[in-house]
């Protein structure tokens, strides 16, 4: 349709990048395009930053977030996200 020509052209330009998660096994697609892990980490940061009220400098904020990220990674380091355990061999072959 002429009224959506610009939108269609733009979608065709980005289509290979937009749908790249279809190149991965079906078991992990939901984990790839979901933002649940990111939202969970953001909630941790918000909850732990609230008692701090104000951080005096930008450097102290960077340090605080870095420490929280390292702590979060440490807690969930050995966790296998949904579907990844089933296709671990396939994923490892992508990086060989």
């Amino acid at each position: 349709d002429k009224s959506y020509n610009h939108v269609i052209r733009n979608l065709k330009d980005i289509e290979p990048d937009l749908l790249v998660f279809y190149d991965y096994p079906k078991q992990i697609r939901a984990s790839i395009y979901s933002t649940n892990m990111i939202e969970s980490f953001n909630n941790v940061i918000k909850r732990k930053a609230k008692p701090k009220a104000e951080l005096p400098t930008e450097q102290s904020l960077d340090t605080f977030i870095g420490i929280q990220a390292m702590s979060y990674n440490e807690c969930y380091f050995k966790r296998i996200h949904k579907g990844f355990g089933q296709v671990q061999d396939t994923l490892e072959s992508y990086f060989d």
Side-chain angles (χ1 to χ4, degrees), residues 33-56:
Y33 64 77
S34 171
T35 60
N36 290 345
M37 292 173 69
I38 296 168
E39 289 172 8
S40 172
F41 178 67
N42 286 341
N43 288 335
V44 168
I45 295 293
K46 286 177 189 175
R47 187 176 62 246
K48 292 192 176 192
K50 202 171 216 170
K52 306 284 186 244
E54 290 183 30
L55 294 165

Side-chain angles (χ1 to χ4, degrees), residues 40-96:
S40 172
F41 178 67
N42 286 341
N43 288 335
V44 168
I45 295 293
K46 286 177 189 175
R47 187 176 62 246
K48 292 192 176 192
K50 202 171 216 170
K52 306 284 186 244
E54 290 183 30
L55 294 165
T57 65
E58 192 172 323
Q59 177 64 35
S60 62
L61 175 63
D62 287 345
T63 303
F64 173 76
I65 291 176
I67 291 170
Q68 296 308 315
M70 290 183 341
S71 173
Y72 189 82
N73 285 342
E74 196 173 289
C75 289
Y76 296 103
F77 179 70
K78 297 206 183 257
R79 179 179 175 207
I80 296 176
H81 206 268
K82 180 181 174 183
F84 279 78
Q86 300 169 358
V87 295
Q88 186 171 357
D89 294 336
T90 305
L91 293 173
E92 287 175 359
S93 72
Y94 290 167
F95 298 102
D96 288 338

